[in-house]
Amino acid sequence: MKKIIFILLAVFILVLPGEAKNIWDDFATHVTQDNVRAFTKDLGGLIGSGTYTTGRVLGWGGFQIGPRGTMIFKMSQDKNETDQTALGNREEVGEVFYPWLQADIGMPFRLDGFIRASSYQGMTIAGGGLRWGITRPNEMLGSFQPMLVVSAHSASARDFSATHYNASLVLSMKFKYFVPYIGGGVDYTTLHINQALLAPELSGDNEYAATARATAGLNFKLPSFLDLSLAANYAYYGLGAEASVSLRF
């Protein structure tokens, strides 16, 4: 067990990019009326990613814990279709990555509960949610599992804070060594702006945005009760990615 925990911690450290710059601290110096809505949608898509990585419920007594990460390859352009985002020039900002530590537990009535949290590059996020298996789980090869996922999060950075809600519908298919899954849902985000140097009129205001997000991934069973999940998602920001390694019973 100690060896497995060490592996999970090592993976969590390795997935963190080497650059330690607090990218979210650039918000106050770049946010404007033109880019604040695109940023709110991007943030919602980033927070909502990775809430499901197996496509199936754990079942009563099941337990899962491990690191996972989500990434936006390029932030969205502003409403004038320029490269100026709320974090700076789109090309200079580049990929936006955020890591999580998530724990899941199986409950009665085909329900799973999960909590997740992290603090990275100037932003702290905490939240959780529920997954519900719409039909009774079936472990036969080729069986389908439809699942409903709901979650809520709170995010905080130096110059902004946010609340996030998500609902998704997921469908998976059981194979011997892996489970493919697809899902789609909506992220609803409220962004509260603490400080905006280029647009002082935004300070103290809220921005509201909803955005759709689709996900397609594969979950692999590894030795020693380990799971590996790899997925791509598509939201307002375009293409993104998700990955996780977890210990599962």
Side-chain angles (χ1 to χ4, degrees):
M1 178 63 70
K2 290 183 178 179
K3 182 179 179 181
I4 294 174
I5 294 174
F6 176 78
I7 292 172
L8 291 175
L9 290 175
V11 170
F12 186 71
I13 293 171
L14 289 173
V15 298
L16 299 179
E19 186 179 356
K21 178 186 176 183
N22 287 356
I23 61 170
W24 307 102
D25 287 351
D26 294 333
F27 177 83
T29 55
H30 295 97
V31 65
T32 66
Q33 290 279 8
D34 293 335
N35 59 38
V36 65
R37 186 166 180 80
F39 175 81
T40 305
K41 290 187 174 185
D42 287 353
L43 182 64
L46 182 70
I47 295 174
S49 299
T51 50
Y52 50 89
T53 59
T54 64
R56 305 177 81 82
V57 294
L58 290 172
W60 170 239
F63 181 74
Q64 183 175 6
I65 186 170
R68 57 192 64 191
T70 62
M71 177 180 287
I72 297 174
F73 293 139
K74 283 289 178 65
M75 296 191 68
S76 303
Q77 292 181 317
D78 63 20
K79 66 181 181 181
N80 296 323
E81 297 187 354
T82 71
D83 285 338
Q84 295 305 311
T85 76
L87 297 181
N89 182 274
R90 188 168 180 253
E91 298 299 324
E92 294 176 359
V93 173
E95 301 89 357
V96 177
F97 174 82
Y98 200 84
W100 303 90
L101 184 63
Q102 180 164 321
D104 311 65
I105 187 168
M107 301 185 294
F109 308 110
R110 303 192 298 274
L111 283 172
D112 289 349
F114 62 90
I115 57 173
R116 58 206 312 242
S118 183
S119 184
Y120 183 65
Q121 290 190 341
M123 182 167 65
T124 299
I125 305 177
L130 293 171
R131 293 190 295 265
W132 177 58
I134 298 174
T135 61
R136 188 179 299 277
N138 186 341
E139 294 305 310
M140 291 181 61
L141 299 183
S143 64
F144 288 94
Q145 170 73 68
M147 185 173 69
L148 181 66
V149 183
V150 293
S151 65
H153 298 83
S154 177
S156 178
R158 186 185 66 185
D159 301 315
F160 66 87
S161 59
T163 55
H164 167 272
Y165 302 96
N166 166 263
S168 299
L169 182 65
V170 188
L171 180 66
S172 65
M173 186 175 183
K174 178 74 174 183
F175 288 94
K176 186 174 183 179
Y177 297 110
F178 64 93
V179 174
Y181 59 91
I182 58 172
V186 176
D187 297 295
Y188 182 80
T189 309
T190 300
L191 179 75
H192 179 76
I193 303 158
N194 298 331
Q195 184 176 209
L197 301 181
L198 292 180
E201 68 277 9
L202 289 177
S203 298
D205 283 355
N206 292 332
E207 182 71 25
Y208 306 91
T211 183
R213 178 172 42 83
T215 303
L218 290 170
N219 176 259
F220 300 91
K221 303 297 181 186
L222 303 179
S224 302
F225 304 102
L226 292 176
D227 271 17
L228 170 67
S229 292
L230 302 171
N233 64 61
Y234 191 87
Y236 185 77
Y237 47 71
L239 191 62
E242 309 171 13
S244 73
V245 178
S246 55
L247 174 65
R248 184 179 184 187
F249 296 102

